[in-house]
Amino acid sequence: MQFTIDLEKVVGKLRYILLGILVLLTFFFRDTAPNETSEEKAAIPEQMEEVPSEKNMLTTDEPAPSNLVLEEEDLKKAVVRQIINGNTVELQFAEKRIETVKLLLIRAPIGSEPYSEQAIQRLRELIIKDSVVEVEEGEMARDKQGNLLVYIWKDSQNVNLQLVQEGFARISNVEHPNTKYVEAFYEGQALAQSQKLNIWQ
């Protein structure tokens, strides 16, 4: 009794068998591959936020307003942690040092005083939380409560002065030797008063 083998049929069947094996292997390896958990995905943006981007870094190419001279050797970089009120900010300096700072030469409305909410909101716009700012300490560095007394600079702008110019703060606590920019501040306040801006309405 003789058997004849049809090679074409055999090859065709083998081809389908191999194809089926490949499909099964593909599904097997896809299901066993490691996937990112939701916790790992959530951790990624948190890690990115810890490093301030270059977009938030201070640039000093433009001249400072009202003839203020930006002396870079007197400046320190810090990260804005919290805006407490219109003239008080919590900053983080190098080596994780955290300081509560008062803005020199100004007093913004606080608490239930008129324009207190507008003043704190404007300060939040000028120095965004987690952004990097430049800090210039006063000649007399601290007040009686131990708060650091500073001018804050952002994009070559003196933030203290800008609040005065826009009518969100008035000149206050002018005490020697912290009078470096006092003339520019009086000019800015006079401008805000003449235009009846915010607290001067």
Side-chain angles (χ1 to χ4, degrees):
M1 189 174 187
Q2 294 182 346
F3 293 95
T4 58
I5 299 174
D6 191 336
L7 290 177
E8 290 184 1
K9 290 183 179 180
V10 172
V11 170
K13 290 182 179 180
L14 286 174
R15 186 181 302 165
Y16 284 116
I17 292 171
L18 289 173
L19 183 60
I21 292 171
L22 286 173
V23 170
L24 289 173
L25 289 174
T26 301
F27 279 104
F28 174 77
F29 284 112
R30 186 183 68 177
D31 292 337
T32 57
N35 294 321
E36 278 186 332
T37 64
S38 58
E39 294 180 356
E40 289 172 338
K41 290 179 180 178
I44 294 173
E46 293 177 359
Q47 293 170 356
M48 293 174 63
E49 289 176 0
E50 292 177 0
V51 182
S53 66
E54 292 183 0
K55 292 180 180 179
N56 292 327
M57 300 297 285
L58 179 70
T59 57
T60 57
D61 296 333
E62 299 178 3
S66 300
N67 298 321
L68 299 190
V69 178
L70 184 59
E71 299 176 359
E72 295 185 41
E73 64 272 13
D74 295 332
L75 303 181
K76 299 177 181 178
K77 284 185 171 61
V79 176
V80 180
R81 285 175 52 93
Q82 182 183 2
I83 310 296
I84 298 172
N85 58 43
N87 44 234
T88 310
V89 181
E90 187 179 86
L91 299 176
Q92 180 173 313
F93 292 85
E95 300 177 355
K96 308 295 184 181
R97 177 171 62 94
I98 297 173
E99 292 269 9
T100 298
V101 305
K102 294 282 188 180
L103 303 189
L104 272 167
L105 296 182
I106 73 168
R107 185 190 185 282
I110 59 174
S112 60
E113 297 173 351
Y115 288 94
S116 63
E117 290 298 322
Q118 292 90 330
I120 192 171
Q121 180 58 36
R122 183 55 179 145
L123 186 54
R124 285 174 177 155
E125 294 169 355
L126 292 173
I127 51 172
I128 300 170
K129 186 177 183 294
D130 296 328
S131 67
V132 176
V133 295
E134 297 273 359
V135 179
E136 179 181 358
E137 296 181 9
E139 293 293 327
M140 182 174 65
R142 296 187 182 272
D143 63 14
K144 294 178 181 178
Q145 288 73 41
N147 298 311
L148 195 62
L149 302 173
V150 304
Y151 302 100
I152 292 181
W153 296 82
K154 181 68 176 177
D155 298 331
S156 299
Q157 303 293 311
N158 186 304
V159 174
N160 309 39
L161 176 59
Q162 196 164 347
L163 290 172
V164 171
Q165 290 173 326
E166 296 178 7
F168 291 107
R170 67 181 72 230
I171 296 173
S172 181
N173 301 320
V174 180
E175 298 180 7
H176 185 78
N178 292 338
T179 56
K180 183 176 181 179
Y181 304 119
V182 69
E183 291 183 7
F185 275 66
Y186 277 117
E187 291 175 7
Q189 180 167 284
L191 180 65
Q193 288 174 317
S194 66
Q195 296 181 2
K196 294 181 169 49
L197 298 178
N198 297 305
I199 64 173
W200 303 111
Q201 292 184 21

